[in-house]
Amino acid sequence: MVRHGQTDYNLKGVAQGSGIDAPINATGQQQANAFFKAYKNIPFDKIYTSVLQRSIQSVQSFIDLGIPHKKLIGLNEISWGNREGKSFVSGENHYKIVTNAWKSGDLDASITEGESPLEVQKRQEIALTHILSQEKEDTILICMHGRAMRILLCLMLNYNLKHMDLFSHSNLGVYKINYNGNSFSIESANDVRHLNASF
């Protein structure tokens, strides 16, 4: 599981969420190339991405190899509502207010017109159920988004969502996750060695 490559919105500290379909920038493409170079020999059976172009572009080189690919809206980033397209630290710092609410256990809290973590996890449950129901997909690649990854990892590992910030993420950082048919475990978290070797 990887987060998408850098976008100009990431670079400027501006919220994208699920409502802004930004492409990866030149640095994001370099990150995608470095990830492909390091992992191209992994025999992936399937690639899953969100429907947003930054997630697809980040693994396009794998898709170009002919590996089957499916877009799932359940893997989309959280909606930041009326703060999308705006700085994370502008105004009253709505981002800090809502993330502090999540840490305190208020998981229904959301930015105005946005999603709560519980709402995101509900759509992720549908996506994860679909992924796990597929036959002959033993090794898969998932490319998605930072906040959504934290929520999905909580779902996989049965963590309370108020602890989601325990999971760090970087653009094109890799989580290797094992599934034994009943439970998930993390083999490595936010591995960026492939990026450090290329920049």
Side-chain angles (χ1 to χ4, degrees):
M1 182 189 297
V2 297
R3 184 188 176 202
H4 63 80
Q6 186 187 84
T7 69
D8 285 342
Y9 285 80
N10 295 149
L11 189 61
K12 297 173 182 176
V14 174
Q16 297 171 103
S18 59
I20 293 180
D21 193 12
I24 57 176
N25 61 19
T27 297
Q29 189 59 60
Q30 287 180 305
Q31 293 165 338
N33 292 342
F35 172 62
F36 178 69
K37 182 179 178 181
Y39 289 89
K40 64 183 178 181
N41 293 322
I42 301 293
F44 293 115
D45 298 310
K46 189 75 164 284
I47 298 167
Y48 290 95
T49 67
S50 77
V51 303
L52 300 169
Q53 65 174 326
R54 57 190 183 270
S55 70
I56 300 166
Q57 291 170 346
S58 298
V59 294
Q60 186 62 53
S61 293
F62 292 91
I63 296 170
D64 290 344
L65 292 177
I67 300 170
H69 167 224
K70 186 173 182 65
K71 295 177 282 188
L72 296 175
I73 198 167
L75 300 179
N76 275 18
E77 179 61 300
I78 192 170
S79 169
W80 293 114
N82 66 3
R83 304 305 298 174
E84 292 183 347
K86 299 177 182 177
S87 170
F88 277 115
V89 295
S90 64
E92 301 174 22
N93 203 343
H94 299 262
Y95 174 78
K96 186 174 182 180
I97 292 169
V98 77
T99 54
N100 282 341
W102 298 342
K103 290 175 185 176
S104 71
D106 182 3
L107 301 170
D108 287 309
S110 65
I111 297 288
T112 302
E113 301 175 10
E115 288 180 294
S116 72
L118 288 174
E119 289 173 321
V120 174
Q121 195 170 77
K122 188 173 182 179
R123 59 176 166 83
Q124 289 182 346
E125 288 174 349
I126 297 170
L128 186 59
T129 297
H130 172 81
I131 291 169
L132 295 179
S133 70
Q134 304 306 298
E135 297 181 359
K136 299 180 180 179
E137 293 184 9
D138 295 327
T139 306
I140 65 170
L141 172 60
I142 298 173
C143 186
M144 50 188 304
H145 309 265
R147 180 60 58 177
M149 279 180 63
R150 287 173 162 165
I151 295 171
L152 183 57
L153 286 164
C154 286
L155 176 62
M156 288 175 159
L157 299 169
N158 199 29
Y159 277 40
N160 189 298
L161 279 168
K162 70 179 182 179
H163 300 304
M164 71 177 97
D165 285 333
L166 291 173
F167 301 109
S168 60
H169 58 73
S170 305
N171 291 118
L172 258 304
V174 178
Y175 274 82
K176 291 184 180 178
I177 302 167
N178 296 315
Y179 181 62
N180 64 11
N182 293 301
S183 62
F184 294 92
S185 60
I186 294 178
E187 182 177 327
S188 61
N190 198 33
D191 188 348
V192 293
R193 288 175 294 176
H194 55 288
L195 302 181
N196 295 333
S198 300
F199 284 84

